[in-house]
Amino acid sequence: MVEKGTYRVKKGMASMQKGGVIMDVTTAEEAIIAEKSGAVAVMALEKVPADIRAGGGVARMADPVVIEEIMSAVSIPVMAKARIGHFVEAKILESLEIDYIDESEVLTPADERYHIDKHKFNVPFVCGARNLGEALRRVGEGAAMLRTKGEAGTGNVVEAVKHMRTVMSDIRKVVNMPDDELMTEAKELGAPYELLKEVKEQGRLPVVNFAAGGVATPADAALMMHLGADGVFVGSGIFKSGNPEKRAEAIVEAATNYEDYSHLAEVSKNLGEAMVGINISDIDDEQRMQDRGW
């Protein structure tokens, strides 16, 4: 009998996206552009993070009509975002037979204390993290895929870099740690002991970890792959740029060929205007999406 909805199956599905680029889209037309560019999946939203940031107010799950239109337009997997802790939004998305749910800090959190119990769902979940402790707490709740939080909607990759370096540094520390120090480390990280033990044994996170938040150029995507990302999420960087079709293809090429600098130079030429970036220091603390969740 074929297994369905087990954690092993969900992790396996997520790992199939490894090495690829996942793009935020708000319409069926954008989803088609993403698929043609070589994206391995799309994230269905009503607004890309840059517009969510600019518009303010409460950001919620996208209209199911928009999600269904996007699902009908492409053959690659479709993801959609639910608010942190909003298990009803997640159940609605699962009923639409979405391929993945992103319990995302880009939307306004619905619960200030608890995340969704993702083990209760058949659909795999993606969650954001800034360090190893946060990553393993989400995996402990059932996340089958992780992404760095970065600072979405800024076109500024600096926070994604910081979080990826932090996660990889935390892993290296655990790998080189004596076994009898693991329990104390688990307590200090707020991480499940058995998952921390698995990190030490495997030398990596238990699930794939993509870079996200602020990726806007092919060089950004290649940088994140060099730092240890298993793939890249691109949000506002594509459809807030001057030539989305060309930039989308270039970022896919960059993620795949991130060690070929001549190729990176070629795909980086004549891409048109990149999205306008925002310095992180110009964003008030209460407006920073990366700090949502825990």
Side-chain angles (χ1 to χ4, degrees):
M1 181 180 291
V2 176
E3 291 181 302
K4 182 180 180 182
T6 68
Y7 189 59
R8 181 180 178 187
V9 170
K10 289 186 278 189
K11 279 178 60 176
M13 285 178 61
S15 67
M16 292 172 66
Q17 314 306 320
K18 191 173 180 179
V21 176
I22 300 169
M23 298 181 188
D24 284 353
V25 299
T26 59
T27 65
E29 291 74 19
E30 289 179 354
I32 291 169
I33 290 171
E35 183 173 34
K36 286 182 177 177
S37 75
V40 295
V42 293
M43 180 75 72
L45 295 134
E46 281 190 329
K47 297 177 181 176
V48 292
D51 288 335
I52 291 173
R53 182 180 299 282
V58 176
R60 309 177 179 88
M61 176 191 76
D63 188 324
V65 170
V66 174
I67 295 170
E68 289 178 332
E69 289 174 351
I70 291 170
M71 291 172 67
S72 297
V74 295
S75 59
I76 54 178
V78 178
M79 304 177 169
K81 291 183 184 292
R83 281 176 274 180
I84 290 175
H86 206 314
F87 56 85
V88 173
E89 284 189 345
K91 282 292 183 184
I92 290 171
L93 293 173
E94 186 174 54
S95 76
L96 296 175
E97 298 185 351
I98 199 82
D99 294 296
Y100 299 82
I101 295 172
D102 186 348
E103 188 180 15
S104 178
E105 71 284 354
V106 171
L107 306 183
T108 308
D111 195 317
E112 295 183 336
R113 185 170 177 80
Y114 300 108
H115 282 69
I116 296 169
D117 179 359
K118 293 164 270 289
H119 290 293
K120 292 182 177 178
F121 291 76
N122 288 325
V123 63
F125 273 71
V126 186
C127 286
R130 291 162 293 181
N131 52 55
L132 182 58
E134 188 173 16
L136 295 184
R137 287 193 291 277
R138 299 291 83 77
V139 175
E141 294 161 355
M145 183 178 191
L146 293 166
R147 54 174 173 70
T148 53
K149 285 185 171 178
E151 188 57 49
T154 62
N156 188 338
V157 78
V158 64
E159 296 299 290
V161 169
K162 180 170 74 177
H163 299 154
M164 184 60 70
R165 284 196 179 277
T166 299
V167 170
M168 300 306 287
S169 176
D170 290 347
I171 291 173
R172 287 191 292 272
K173 177 184 175 185
V174 168
V175 167
N176 292 304
M177 181 175 287
D179 290 346
D180 58 4
E181 295 181 6
L182 274 184
M183 185 60 81
T184 298
E185 184 70 8
K187 178 184 175 183
E188 291 177 353
L189 288 173
Y193 172 75
E194 291 301 327
L195 290 176
L196 196 65
K197 188 177 176 185
E198 185 176 341
V199 169
K200 177 174 171 54
E201 292 170 351
Q202 301 297 323
R204 60 159 295 134
L205 289 166
V207 302
V208 290
N209 183 28
F210 276 42
V215 174
T217 69
D220 287 347
L223 172 64
M224 298 313 301
M225 297 298 288
H226 274 281
L227 293 177
D230 291 314
V232 178
F233 279 90
V234 184
S236 313
I238 297 290
F239 294 103
K240 289 296 179 184
S241 69
N243 189 336
E245 292 89 348
K246 193 169 183 179
R247 187 169 294 268
E249 290 179 5
I251 288 179
V252 170
E253 284 289 316
T256 304
N257 303 286
Y258 64 94
E259 294 180 306
D260 184 341
Y261 297 103
S262 295
H263 192 66
L264 291 175
E266 284 302 312
V267 301
S268 297
K269 293 176 180 175
N270 298 315
L271 295 182
E273 188 176 357
M275 72 170 287
V276 177
I278 303 173
N279 287 322
I280 304 303
S281 59
D282 293 337
I283 304 173
D284 294 336
D285 290 348
E286 61 271 18
Q287 300 299 320
R288 295 187 183 190
M289 295 174 177
Q290 63 178 282
D291 294 334
R292 297 167 173 174
W294 40 94

